[in-house]
Amino acid sequence: MSMTQELLKARTSLENNLRELLGVPVFLIEMDAFALPCGCGGVTINTRGLQLDDLEVFEEHILKYLTDTATSLDIEPSFLFARLIPGTAEIASINARVLCNSCYMDFGRGSGKQPRPDIYIMRFDRRK
């Protein structure tokens, strides 16, 4: 199966799981695999219809779905988070990322679920 077919299959499965869980029309309008110049890699999924309240209430389930999605694409993420549209409770994207050393240090300095107003952290694996 090609990379785009794998992404399409994973996107469709995640979207269906979220719709079934939340009972609302959540749309995953785009899923992108990425590799950044700094060394980070992972997947970003642009969303419509997903709210911060949904994530807070169903975080355990959504985290499992996102982890399963990333793993199905051979991505072992250490950082799973949502990016919010500034000034709203609307989630713009959900992300599964393998952090490079530099970005690990940047995110590792923060604390809590929302170290910045535009980010909600679902999982951050601390290195030993």
Side-chain angles (χ1 to χ4, degrees):
M1 195 176 304
S2 73
M3 183 188 320
T4 54
Q5 290 171 324
E6 289 288 339
L7 286 168
L8 181 60
K9 179 181 170 187
R11 190 212 63 78
T12 301
S13 176
L14 180 58
E15 182 177 77
N16 288 339
N17 284 334
L18 290 174
R19 286 178 175 187
E20 185 176 314
L21 174 68
L22 302 173
V24 297
V26 173
F27 298 99
L28 304 183
I29 57 174
E30 185 176 338
M31 177 184 271
D32 299 312
F34 64 87
L36 300 176
C38 63
C40 288
V43 63
T44 295
I45 306 140
N46 295 326
T47 66
R48 296 296 179 269
L50 188 59
Q51 300 290 315
L52 183 57
D53 285 349
D54 299 328
L55 186 55
E56 290 173 333
V57 171
F58 296 103
E59 183 173 348
E60 181 179 326
H61 299 288
I62 293 172
L63 180 58
K64 181 184 181 327
Y65 293 151
L66 183 56
T67 301
D68 290 349
T69 298
T71 303
S72 77
L73 298 168
D74 292 326
I75 299 167
E76 296 297 330
S78 56
F79 186 49
L80 293 105
F81 67 100
R83 190 172 304 279
L84 286 82
I85 297 172
T88 73
E90 179 85 16
I91 294 176
S93 66
I94 49 178
N95 306 270
R97 184 179 284 196
V98 178
L99 293 172
C100 70
N101 289 334
S102 177
C103 292
Y104 174 83
M105 295 304 290
D106 286 345
F107 284 108
R109 287 186 201 118
S111 64
K113 291 284 192 183
Q114 285 194 269
R116 298 185 342 212
D118 66 325
I119 290 193
Y120 181 89
I121 297 174
M122 291 179 275
R123 190 178 96 205
F124 179 74
D125 295 344
R126 298 268 176 200
R127 296 178 183 165
K128 296 176 180 168

